[in-house]
Every structure is written in structure tokens, then in C-alpha cells.
Amino acid sequence: MAGDPGDAPEVGGGGIRSVLTTASLVAPSGDEFREIDGKIIGLYFAANWYPKCEAFTPVLAAAYEQLKERGAGFEVVLVSCDEDRPSFERFHGTMPWPAVPFGDLSCKKRLSERFQVEGIPRLVVLAPDGGAVVHPDAADLVHRYGERAFPFTAARVAELEADDQRKYASQTLEKLFSVSGKEYVMNSGNNEKVPVSSLVGKTVGLYFSANHCAPCIKFTTKLAAIYSSLRGKAEDFEVVYVPMDREEDGYLRSCGDMPWLALPYDGAPSRALARYFDVREIPTLVVVGPDGRTVTRDGRNLVNLYFDMAFPFTDAQIRLLQEAEDEAAKEYPRSLRHRGHRHELSIVSEKSGGGPYICCECEEQGLGWAYQCIACGYEIHLRCGQNAEGGSAGTA
């Protein structure tokens, strides 16, 4: 959860106008907007230039529109962190709610200081009467639950989290796809419908990706090679593309690059699964085991680290791979010089200063064991140091 509502600063009485001290709000059209009294207010601190705000805004907009349809008495007010008026107007134009006028710097400053805003996106939820803080940052809740998070109280959050635990405990593959509203997936090669029931008993990777995302395109190539390798070994492994594309053309291009199955292009089912697994960034690979339970939400990292050896992605398999790495590391030189760096590199493990890194030689992900320059932060995989010049065994 993004924060504990009990830790939020209290706001005194006087109604919401005691908090929103601006003379008037501005609608996306540029017209004056005054209809906020008696509503729960979400102060949305965001900026056009920050990718996380760009990604969160449509998620918040979808929840906002659904709450409007329900007549839920909820309003969002943008408190822009943009640096110039054209950027503010472009960003605000993508939203269905009002904003503090760009030129009202004193109001924006007071709000940022009052609610101790240090990072964005931030969604501060205020009660309709005295303007007391209901939740100091409900962005996380909107990501996870959408409009169901309303009215964002501690009691509502507890209900949702208890419901999550019940769903995860009884999860099956069929129930997962019922979340998305689909009983079938598509063969991305010929568009034939494939019943979800045919996937039961297999290890299934749910691949959240999009054609407009450069890291997704890179990872798709790697995942496709691993998919082909595992299928060639007759492993019961399948991948289902969960499209996060902005338009259908992008979805079709994505499917053209993928040898596996796909959900039909429809934003609602993909958003439902993304919300269920709390997917915040793409690409993401969630792995579901033969029993229909979630094995890992970290499939992308495991594929990057261990390739097809990660299958079936269980904790037991990853422990075996890590133990094998620990044993193999005993045979590597304790230090060496690498052609890509001027300083000597020393071998490190996760226990002695190693951690997640991007290899400076092959630009692939690494974890734990590495050759590292302590002074510069230069790191390479052990395997990428095998052909280095000037390696020496050093001391253990």
C-alpha cells in the first residue's frame, strides 16, 4: 500500500475550499469549473514530462469515468508540476477533470507543501466536508483496484486486500481468464480460437507487452527463442500475450512477432489481468504453474538471468541454478583485467557487494556474481570475463 492513512497530516475544517484556495478551477476546455463542493476530492499531482504520470493518467481516467457513471460523488483536480503553460495545456487536455490554473503558483505551492509531495504521480484523497485526508496517496490503490478502491478508506482497503487473499488462495487458470472475461485465447498465427481449458496442466507465461515499448520488442525476441527451445524439448510451456497496446495496429504488429497465443485486442480484459497481478511496467512475464497458481511475477528477470534453464520458474529450480553458479564461481579467477575497462576487476557475489546490474560487456541483466570495479561501478558477468586479457587466479 502506498501509505498508511493514519499517518496522513490532518486538515482543519472549513470545507474543501479551505484546502483548494484558488479562486476557481479550470476545465480541460479552458472554461471555469466550480462543481466540487460535497464531493470526495482526489488531488492529482503530476507532470507531462514524467513517464509514470503519462502511464498512470489513463488508469485514473478509466476509474474516474466509471465512478462518474455510478454517480459516486468523486472529483479529481490536477495540480500540475509542468514547467510551462503549453505542456500543462497538452497534458490537461488528455484528462476529463479540472485543474488548478497553471498561473496560480501560490495555490500549487501551498498544496505541495501541505501534503508533503516529494514524488509524482501522487493522488491525495480528501473528505468532502472538512477536507480531512482520507488517503495520503491512493495512486497505488487505483493501480491495483481501479474504481473498486472508492472511497479509499482504510476499511475499504482492508476489504479489498482480504478479497485478494481469497482469490489468490483459490486461483485456477480458468478463474484467471474469467477475470479477463474470456474463455478463449487466439492463435496469433492464424487467429483461431483456442479454449482456455486446453492450457490447464501446463506452465503458462502471461506476457504483458506492447508494440510501442522498445524494451518489450527486445525482450520479445529473447522470449521467442526460449519459447522455441522449450517447445523443442517437449516441455508443457505456453505463453499468452496480454496486450497493453494503445491501438489495434500495434497489437497486430506485436502478434506478427510472436509465435504464441494472445488475448483478443480489447483493453478491458488486459487491464483486468494487469490489475489482478499489479503490473506497473512492461514488459512483465507472470508465470502460472500447472495447478493454476502463480509461480512468479518476476519471469522477465528470470528469463534474462537463466534463459531456458529457468523453466519451470519455481523457487526450487532457481535455488538449483544459484547453487550451480556458486559452485562454478570457485573456478573463476579472483581478479582480472578486461579490455573494456582500465582498472582491475574483482570477483564479487551477492553476499560480498554484488547485486542486480546490467553487464557492461553484453548489456544483459545480471544478479549476484560479477566482476566489478569497486571504484567505478563497472560490472560484467563472470562468463563475459572468460575471454578477457590478463586474467589471473589471484587469491581466494
Side-chain angles (χ1 to χ4, degrees):
M1 198 162 70
D4 183 351
D7 295 336
E10 287 299 320
V11 179
I16 196 66
R17 293 293 180 181
S18 68
V19 181
L20 277 170
T21 55
T22 186
S24 64
L25 300 174
V26 59
S29 63
D31 297 332
E32 187 175 314
F33 187 98
R34 289 184 175 274
E35 302 171 9
I36 62 170
D37 292 318
K39 296 181 179 180
I40 291 175
I41 302 296
L43 296 178
Y44 180 37
F45 296 85
N48 175 73
W49 47 263
Y50 194 44
K52 288 187 177 181
C53 296
E54 184 182 17
F56 178 64
T57 296
V59 176
L60 179 58
Y64 175 86
E65 296 290 6
Q66 288 169 318
L67 288 170
K68 284 290 185 185
E69 290 177 9
R70 285 167 42 188
F74 177 60
E75 191 56 73
V76 174
V77 176
L78 171 66
V79 185
S80 170
C81 303
D82 286 300
E83 298 172 352
D84 58 79
R85 187 179 295 275
S87 295
F88 161 75
E89 291 176 349
R90 281 196 303 272
F91 194 37
H92 190 207
T94 67
M95 303 171 184
W97 47 73
V100 174
F102 177 77
D104 196 340
L105 300 180
S106 62
C107 180
K108 292 192 289 185
K109 181 180 179 181
R110 281 195 300 272
L111 290 172
S112 294
E113 291 176 349
R114 185 168 195 164
F115 299 110
Q116 302 167 22
V117 176
E118 296 180 353
I120 54 175
R122 175 96 178 264
L123 184 67
V124 179
V125 179
L126 306 177
D129 299 326
V133 175
V134 175
H135 201 290
D137 188 3
D140 181 63
L141 296 179
V142 174
H143 259 300
R144 289 164 62 190
Y145 302 114
E147 78 286 353
R148 294 171 56 227
F150 184 84
F152 310 102
T153 59
R156 181 56 179 156
V157 173
E159 288 176 3
L160 292 168
E161 290 179 342
D163 186 47
D164 276 351
Q165 292 306 312
R166 287 191 294 271
K167 285 189 296 186
Y168 296 146
S170 62
Q171 178 180 299
T172 65
L173 202 61
E174 293 98 326
K175 287 181 180 178
L176 264 184
F177 281 93
S178 72
V179 169
S180 74
K182 299 294 182 183
E183 296 181 354
Y184 64 89
V185 291
M186 307 295 293
N187 185 315
S188 57
N190 56 26
N191 285 331
E192 289 184 0
K193 293 182 179 180
V194 178
V196 170
S197 58
S198 68
L199 302 178
V200 173
K202 296 182 178 182
T203 297
V204 177
L206 300 177
Y207 181 37
F208 297 82
S209 180
N211 184 260
H212 65 264
C213 164
C216 294
I217 294 171
K218 181 178 180 180
F219 183 72
T220 295
T221 302
K222 178 178 289 186
L223 183 59
I226 288 165
Y227 176 82
S228 176
S229 172
L230 291 172
R231 300 277 286 189
K233 297 175 184 177
E235 300 286 8
D236 273 341
F237 180 57
E238 190 53 79
V239 174
V240 177
Y241 176 41
V242 183
M244 308 301 287
D245 297 280
R246 295 168 180 165
E247 69 288 315
E248 190 168 9
D249 285 348
Y251 166 74
L252 294 174
R253 287 194 295 272
S254 292
C255 288
D257 296 331
M258 298 176 180
W260 43 70
L261 306 174
L263 273 179
Y265 181 73
D266 182 345
S270 295
R271 284 197 301 270
L273 278 173
R275 189 172 295 134
Y276 181 88
F277 288 111
D278 197 22
V279 173
R280 301 297 182 85
E281 60 182 23
I282 53 175
T284 288
L285 181 66
V286 176
V287 180
V288 177
D291 61 356
R293 305 286 291 275
T294 303
V295 175
T296 181
R297 302 182 192 193
D298 201 27
R300 174 192 177 188
N301 288 339
L302 296 181
V303 165
N304 281 333
L305 289 169
Y306 302 115
F307 307 99
D308 58 351
M309 292 185 295
F311 183 84
F313 305 95
T314 58
D315 289 343
Q317 176 65 9
I318 303 309
R319 277 196 302 272
L320 286 174
L321 294 171
Q322 290 171 341
E323 289 168 3
E325 279 190 335
D326 292 346
E327 193 63 30
K330 296 176 182 178
E331 305 301 320
Y332 282 86
R334 301 296 91 185
S335 62
L336 54 74
R337 289 192 175 275
H338 185 252
R339 58 182 174 272
H341 193 65
R342 65 185 184 277
H343 297 147
E344 186 175 67
L345 306 181
S346 300
I347 196 167
V348 295
S349 70
E350 195 166 10
K351 297 177 181 178
S352 61
Y357 64 93
I358 300 298
C359 177
C360 295
E361 171 73 12
C362 68
E363 298 185 347
E364 294 291 351
Q365 189 173 339
L367 175 67
W369 287 106
Y371 282 116
Q372 181 187 82
C373 174
I374 305 299
C376 303
Y378 185 92
E379 288 185 273
I380 60 173
H381 293 124
L382 298 191
R383 62 178 179 269
C384 290
Q386 283 182 317
N387 298 322
E389 298 174 1
S392 61
T395 58

